[in-house]
Amino acid sequence: MTRDSPDDDTASDDAVADGGERSDSPPAPQTDGAGHAGGYDGTTGGEPVHGREIETRQKYPNNRLFTWLDDRLELNHEILGKAFPEDKYGSFLLGEIALFSFIFLALTGSFLGLMYEPVASEVTYEGNAAEWAGQEVPGAFASVLTITYDTPFGMFLRMAHHWAAYIFIAAIALHMFRVFFSGAYRNPHEPNWFVGSVLLLLALAEGFFGYALPLDGFSKAATTIGFNMTGAVPVIGEWLQALAFGGAFPSQVGQVIPHMYFLHVFLFPALLVGIIGLHMMILMRQKHTEHAPSSRGGDRTPAADDDSFVVGSPLFPQQFLLSVVVLLLTAATISFLAALFPVQRIAAIGLDSPSSPSPDWFFMWVFGSLKMIPAELSLAGTTIVLGGWAEFIGGILIPMVIIGVMIVWPLIDNTDEPQHFTVDPLDRPAQTALGVGAIMLTIVLSIDGMRGTFSEVIGAPSSTLYPYLVLMTFAIPLLFTVRVYVWLTRRQRRLGRPTGPGVSLPYSATAVRWLDRGLTVLALGFLAVGIELVTGSATLASSFTGLPVIEQLFWLARVFAGLLLLLPVPPVYLALALVLMGLALGVAPAFAKPASRSTRL
């Protein structure tokens, strides 16, 4: 009530009549919650703060349902009112996509786990898969055939499980890329970077332990590779094999399958739930990282450098409704992919291992690193025999070094003062250049992991491709790191901004031009290889279109990997590359080779 209300005067007179004293002092001034006076009424601001009016009127008033529930359950408390920062790019939603993908993994995995039989003993399959009907097959293989071809919606749910796993890992990786390039891992957000890194590793391990469960040819080949890599670890290799596999593979497959079933269905999902919960708890406890004030839409804050609050929407109901939309879009995407793009067609894979085995895309870079280190090295006429050390160096040591640097990176690049705003990647030359170099290293190692497919399609022996792939592994990441660093430091100097910590590289305009030309030639070479991959199996019309849809996507993805090399190239070279690509696509069918492709992509 205001001072001019007659009820106030009546109340004052009653107080005097009861023996009290009338106070003529004015009432305490109203404030805006931060100590600023000026008749603050909670709707349209009041006294200017930092030279601006605070807009406190809610953009979305509480609806009747929320008000009804709030009156009874007191919903409007601190957690539901936690602000989520505004994000005009949508990159902050990658974490939610990963969370919702995990939910679909749990739902579909529960169905598959109830139907699956983790046994390796021979049984007679009697179902709708005609090529296996009446044959003696392992029990695990037969149960997956039954789920896929004999159970209503079984194939759809199995494909949804696969695609949800792909999206789950991809969303985590993209989320970490966003955090890295925007500098959102710095003080005080290092704990969540560490937790997120563990989450990514657990997701990869969960995917690997699901490999062996169908017990088809692909599963046996992938599990054998993983078993041998684990045994290559010095001193503790056999102990790790027993811990991870529960026995020797494939000789003790009857022990390995139930062991990996337990890890895949019970232990690792429980660990993932705990890590995801810890990740979200830290997120709720800390102030959420938000975009820098310069990138926001409009003037939404009292001061551009004020990080005492978050500009955004409350968890409920605004962010909750947005999350529901993301959940439905994630479900629609997984359902669409599961229905139209089936993967892991177990009846077609069979029980025989493929001639050129290769893992799923998220392990391809590890497989490439494994193949990069041969058992014997010939240097200057001297042969160096590595033996089992080759598997340890390529499959364990190199990936561990890469992953280790990723985990401890916040300890390498950090600040003493808390940082609550993201940073433009273009303003961080050294960090952005290293990130681009790491991405290119992953791409090149993945290409080496597909060396068998390359050699079969191109018609060149794998030994012929090996030295070029080794050169690519060292040259491409280094060239792109240097080029991006030079480009960004020149941009910073042109804008009159500090280049930040890092090594000052001497360079000239001529050197930069030659570096651009070298990268262009390199990119065109990869582009030619990509075109050969597409057209090397007869012609575009007769062979490429005759492949299953999912294999067409894999071919195009490999061509796209070559196109990624064109990103830092100036526009004139990019235009030239596209023209040459068009010419190559026009004349390539005339020089196409006979059909030849690997057993499995």
Side-chain angles (χ1 to χ4, degrees):
M1 297 181 185
T2 63
R3 293 182 59 201
D4 297 332
S5 172
D7 294 335
D8 290 344
D9 294 336
T10 303
S12 299
D13 293 338
D14 292 341
V16 173
D18 292 338
E21 296 181 359
R22 181 189 297 271
S23 175
D24 295 330
S25 60
Q30 293 177 305
T31 65
D32 60 359
H36 302 287
Y40 175 76
D41 59 4
T43 58
T44 58
E47 184 180 86
V49 180
H50 299 295
R52 297 180 177 87
E53 291 284 341
I54 296 182
E55 182 69 24
T56 58
R57 176 175 52 83
Q58 292 187 359
K59 186 176 181 180
Y60 303 101
N62 294 336
N63 55 40
R64 295 178 62 183
L65 175 61
F66 176 80
T67 303
W68 186 86
L69 292 174
D70 185 31
D71 291 340
R72 290 153 180 80
L73 303 177
E74 297 182 0
L75 298 178
N76 197 12
H77 53 75
E78 182 178 355
I79 295 180
L80 292 180
K82 179 178 175 59
F84 279 73
E86 61 180 13
D87 179 24
K88 61 182 179 181
Y89 306 110
S91 60
F92 287 174
L93 298 176
L94 288 170
E96 295 190 25
I97 294 174
L99 174 62
F100 298 145
S101 300
F102 177 75
I103 293 175
F104 281 98
L105 273 173
L107 294 176
T108 55
S110 299
F111 170 82
L112 297 175
L114 293 174
M115 300 286 294
Y116 176 77
E117 297 180 8
V119 294
S121 57
E122 297 288 325
V123 298
T124 301
Y125 170 72
E126 297 178 357
N128 294 327
E131 56 267 55
W132 297 103
Q135 296 191 31
E136 294 288 328
V137 296
F141 183 81
S143 68
V144 177
L145 286 175
T146 301
I147 293 172
T148 306
Y149 301 104
D150 305 323
T151 304
F153 296 102
M155 176 178 285
F156 173 79
L157 290 175
R158 183 166 174 259
M159 297 303 106
H161 190 72
H162 278 281
W163 280 110
Y166 291 166
I167 295 177
F168 178 56
I169 295 176
I172 295 176
L174 292 175
H175 179 64
M176 295 194 70
F177 281 143
R178 196 273 303 172
V179 172
F180 174 83
F181 283 108
S182 63
Y185 53 81
R186 298 170 299 169
N187 181 17
H189 301 285
E190 307 97 329
N192 240 1
W193 174 269
F194 300 145
V195 173
S197 300
V198 174
L199 178 61
L200 177 60
L201 296 180
L202 286 177
L204 293 175
E206 172 75 346
F208 172 77
F209 283 111
Y211 274 175
L213 299 186
L215 207 56
D216 56 11
F218 170 72
S219 302
K220 290 186 288 187
T223 307
T224 300
I225 294 173
F227 181 81
N228 294 335
M229 287 172 53
T230 306
V233 178
V235 182
I236 61 173
E238 293 184 1
W239 179 81
L240 289 177
Q241 285 179 330
L243 178 65
F245 297 90
F249 190 87
S251 60
Q252 296 178 325
V253 64
Q255 300 178 23
V256 173
I257 292 298
H259 185 86
M260 298 186 73
Y261 174 75
F262 171 78
L263 295 178
H264 181 73
V265 177
F266 295 102
L267 180 59
F268 276 94
L271 293 176
L272 285 170
V273 169
I275 294 297
I276 291 174
L278 178 61
H279 189 77
M280 297 181 66
M281 183 185 71
I282 296 175
L283 177 65
M284 298 296 291
R285 181 66 180 85
Q286 289 184 332
K287 178 182 181 295
H288 203 298
T289 305
E290 54 182 328
H291 289 304
S294 59
S295 64
R296 293 175 182 156
D299 187 8
R300 299 286 306 280
T301 60
D305 58 350
D306 190 352
D307 60 1
S308 61
F309 59 91
V310 175
V311 176
S313 303
L315 173 60
F316 191 90
Q318 285 89 347
Q319 186 65 29
F320 172 78
L321 295 177
L322 177 61
S323 298
V324 170
V325 173
V326 176
L327 171 64
L328 296 177
L329 287 176
T330 304
T333 302
I334 293 174
S335 301
F336 175 80
L337 294 172
L340 299 182
F341 301 99
V343 293
Q344 300 290 338
R345 301 180 298 275
I346 186 171
I349 296 173
L351 297 173
D352 297 329
S353 298
S355 58
S356 299
S358 61
D360 280 323
W361 59 270
F362 47 84
F363 274 125
M364 192 65 72
W365 68 279
V366 179
F367 189 59
S369 176
L370 174 65
K371 297 178 65 176
M372 187 68 65
I373 308 298
E376 294 184 359
L377 283 175
S378 297
L379 298 175
T382 303
T383 301
I384 302 176
V385 179
L386 296 177
W389 285 95
E391 290 184 337
F392 170 71
I393 296 173
I396 302 294
L397 183 60
I398 294 178
M400 283 183 60
V401 171
I402 296 174
I403 294 173
V405 172
M406 176 194 72
I407 294 176
V408 303
W409 182 255
L411 304 179
I412 300 174
D413 176 38
N414 211 326
T415 59
D416 295 331
E417 296 295 327
Q419 304 292 324
H420 296 295
F421 295 121
T422 60
V423 184
D424 188 345
L426 300 181
D427 294 335
R428 290 159 37 95
Q431 294 88 338
T432 301
L434 288 174
V436 171
I439 292 175
M440 298 312 302
L441 176 62
T442 304
I443 292 176
V444 174
L445 288 177
S446 299
I447 292 175
D448 190 63
M450 297 182 288
R451 193 196 313 170
T453 302
F454 271 63
S455 63
E456 290 187 20
V457 173
I458 296 177
S462 178
S463 58
T464 303
L465 298 177
Y466 175 74
Y468 296 100
L469 292 172
V470 172
L471 178 62
M472 287 166 44
T473 303
F474 290 96
I476 291 179
L478 180 61
L479 287 174
F480 274 83
T481 300
V482 173
R483 180 62 185 99
V484 172
Y485 181 79
V486 169
W487 172 49
L488 292 182
T489 51
R490 291 177 65 185
R491 174 183 178 273
Q492 292 294 90
R493 292 169 184 170
R494 185 174 65 253
L495 297 176
R497 300 174 182 174
T499 58
V503 180
S504 179
L505 298 178
Y507 58 86
S508 63
T510 303
V512 171
R513 283 196 297 270
W514 277 106
L515 183 60
D516 286 340
R517 292 168 184 170
L519 292 175
T520 303
V521 172
L522 196 62
L524 290 176
F526 275 103
L527 196 59
V529 172
I531 294 171
E532 175 67 17
L533 285 173
V534 175
T535 61
S537 306
T539 64
L540 281 172
S542 63
S543 178
F544 179 69
T545 56
L547 294 175
V549 176
I550 188 63
E551 296 186 12
Q552 293 180 9
L553 292 178
F554 283 149
W555 288 124
L556 294 176
R558 289 163 184 166
V559 176
F560 180 71
L563 289 174
L564 287 177
L565 298 174
L566 294 169
L567 287 178
V569 177
V572 61
Y573 296 140
L574 179 59
L576 177 61
L578 293 177
V579 171
L580 293 178
M581 176 183 176
L583 293 175
L585 287 174
V587 302
F591 301 95
K593 296 180 175 62
S596 173
R597 60 187 180 91
S598 61
T599 304
R600 175 178 177 78
L601 296 177

